[in-house]
Amino acid sequence: MLLKEIKDIYHKELGGIYLKEEIDSFFYSCIEHYLNLERFILAIQPGITLTKEEEQPLFEVLSELKLEKPLQYILGTAHFMDLELQVDENVLIPRPETEELVQWILDDCQMEEQFKSDAERSRSVISTMLNDHSLRILDIGTGSGCIAIALAKHLPNVTVFALDVSEGALNVARKNAASNGVDITFLHEDILDIELELDFDIIVSNPPYVRELEKEGIQKNVKDFEPKTALFVPDEAPLLFYRAIIDFAEKHLSEKGKLYFEINQYLGEETKALFHARNFSEIELRKDMFGNDRKLKANVPSRGL
């Protein structure tokens, strides 16, 4: 069968479910993944023909896409920043909003090195941590490991820890750390019930934050396929995990440590108020690329004498 005919079948079969641009993206991702063909192949070889063996995986993917299964789970891979990661139904699919959160941390860690004078640099919290080769980072609810791995890749002289309650997620994250050449200490722990004898300079988390009442507005490919324990929180306790992480941070963040979070876009001010109530300082709420409250940073409260 002609490759362009298969493309037409994708559009015919999926047109009532996805936008045209999404279908194009699916098709080109599939031919690159299974056939190692570039997306412009039809422009230069419009008559390219596939064998039955070559066609088979494309039609198998089509069947799963009709069920609205995410393409990343079908292919088993996802991209995050400059990383290629394995993903399956044990982990959330990494998203651009989370890339922004990681970039915020990277920018904070690098900015003062680039712009501060030598005198200012000597007083810089983050620069001090970097220069003494002891910056410790903890990623809570690591999932695929995307945050932890990206930070380990891009920051020098750091020790990265990553925890998750799901052993299935940790298995995926371990494979991703190995394939991307980074050394991360993985911890099988529940942040709601944890005892840990370690301190950290940065704690970052993209915890569950979607309320049950918000399920109706969530796309089927997310609601039906991505791990529910990584997504949803009870309506009566939407900040459950943020409270638990604050409790943990008050004991385990270093004297001038920082917290970074991805948050529910509808609960930005409520989340910010929670940190104010617990005396965190320099609390900053940021919007994502779509103009939604999605990220928050806070400095550890003073512990006094």
Side-chain angles (χ1 to χ4, degrees), residues 33 57 64 101 104 127 135 148 238 305:
H33 182 84
E64 294 197 88
L101 179 67
W104 190 2
S127 293
L135 184 66
L305 299 176

Side-chain angles (χ1 to χ4, degrees), residues 162-173:
L163 71 80
D164 206 289
V165 71
S166 166
E167 186 61 45
L170 289 173
N171 287 336
V172 173

Side-chain angles (χ1 to χ4, degrees), residues 84-87 91 143-146 149 169-182 186:
E84 182 171 297
L85 303 172
Q86 297 181 43
V87 292
V91 302
S144 67
C146 61
I149 294 167
L170 289 173
N171 287 336
V172 173
R174 290 186 188 102
K175 292 175 185 177
N176 285 328
S179 65
N180 284 281
V182 295
F186 290 101

Side-chain angles (χ1 to χ4, degrees), residues 21-284:
E21 294 76 15
E22 288 182 288
I23 300 170
D24 281 337
S25 179
F26 293 156
F27 176 77
Y28 290 124
S29 294
C30 288
I31 65 171
E32 180 179 3
H33 182 84
Y34 290 109
L35 304 173
N36 199 29
L37 296 175
E38 299 289 347
R39 63 179 299 123
F40 54 77
I41 187 66
L42 287 177
I44 59 175
Q45 295 185 52
I48 189 169
T49 302
L50 303 185
T51 66
K52 288 291 185 182
E53 185 178 1
E54 290 171 328
E55 293 173 8
Q56 182 178 348
L58 301 183
F59 285 109
E60 289 175 352
V61 171
L62 178 60
S63 296
E64 294 197 88
L65 286 172
K66 288 168 71 173
L67 299 175
E68 299 187 50
K69 184 175 182 177
L71 182 65
Q72 293 91 334
Y73 289 159
I74 300 171
L75 302 183
T77 61
H79 291 90
F80 182 83
M81 300 183 77
D82 56 349
L83 307 171
E84 182 171 297
L85 303 172
Q86 297 181 43
V87 292
D88 62 25
E89 286 87 345
N90 288 292
V91 302
L92 294 178
I93 296 167
R95 288 172 168 77
E97 297 92 328
T98 309
E99 291 183 347
E100 292 184 347
L101 179 67
V102 171
Q103 192 61 54
W104 190 2
I105 299 172
L106 295 178
D107 290 345
D108 280 357
C109 288
Q110 295 164 356
M111 182 186 351
E112 294 182 7
E113 286 294 312
Q114 297 169 354
F115 297 112
K116 295 285 186 181
S117 67
D118 288 341
E120 290 171 322
R121 197 175 289 132
S122 68
R123 297 191 296 270
S124 163
V125 174
I126 292 176
S127 293
T128 298
M129 288 191 276
L130 286 172
N131 290 334
D132 70 11
H133 301 263
S134 61
L135 184 66
R136 284 187 169 198
I137 300 174
L138 174 64
D139 175 24
I140 296 176
T142 194
S144 67
C146 61
I147 293 175
I149 294 167
L151 292 174
K153 268 283 195 185
H154 291 282
L155 290 176
N157 306 317
V158 296
T159 302
V160 181
F161 297 78
L163 71 80
D164 206 289
V165 71
S166 166
E167 186 61 45
L170 289 173
N171 287 336
V172 173
R174 290 186 188 102
K175 292 175 185 177
N176 285 328
S179 65
N180 284 281
V182 295
D183 184 16
I184 294 172
T185 300
F186 290 101
L187 306 169
H188 187 202
E189 298 283 352
D190 183 354
I191 193 60
L192 300 179
D193 182 21
I194 187 172
E195 292 184 12
L196 200 61
E197 299 298 325
L198 291 168
D199 289 333
F200 305 95
D201 303 301
I202 292 175
I203 294 175
V204 57
S205 184
N206 176 19
Y209 57 68
V210 180
R211 293 170 291 181
E212 294 287 337
L213 62 86
E214 296 169 37
K215 274 187 177 180
E216 290 303 316
I218 295 177
Q219 292 178 320
K220 177 181 172 63
N221 61 344
V222 175
K223 184 167 54 179
D224 289 358
F225 292 96
E226 299 202 47
K228 293 177 175 55
T229 55
L231 285 170
F232 297 109
V233 291
D235 293 339
E236 65 275 12
L239 302 180
L240 170 67
F241 287 93
Y242 298 91
R243 295 182 189 277
I245 294 170
I246 286 174
D247 289 342
F248 178 85
E250 288 178 335
K251 298 175 183 177
H252 296 281
L253 262 183
S254 60
E255 184 179 353
K256 296 179 180 179
K258 299 179 184 295
L259 279 172
Y260 293 83
F261 285 103
E262 187 168 324
I263 66 171
N264 187 318
Q265 64 181 348
Y266 305 114
L267 298 173
E269 291 301 327
E270 290 87 341
T271 309
K272 186 176 179 181
L274 177 62
F275 285 85
H276 276 298
R278 299 291 285 271
N279 296 316
F280 281 75
S281 63
E282 299 182 43
I283 302 163
E284 183 179 353

Side-chain angles (χ1 to χ4, degrees), residues 289-303:
M289 66 185 77
F290 305 110
N292 300 314
D293 289 335
R294 184 67 76 180
K295 299 164 288 180
L296 185 143
K297 180 179 78 170
N299 289 4
V300 69
S302 173
R303 293 182 173 91

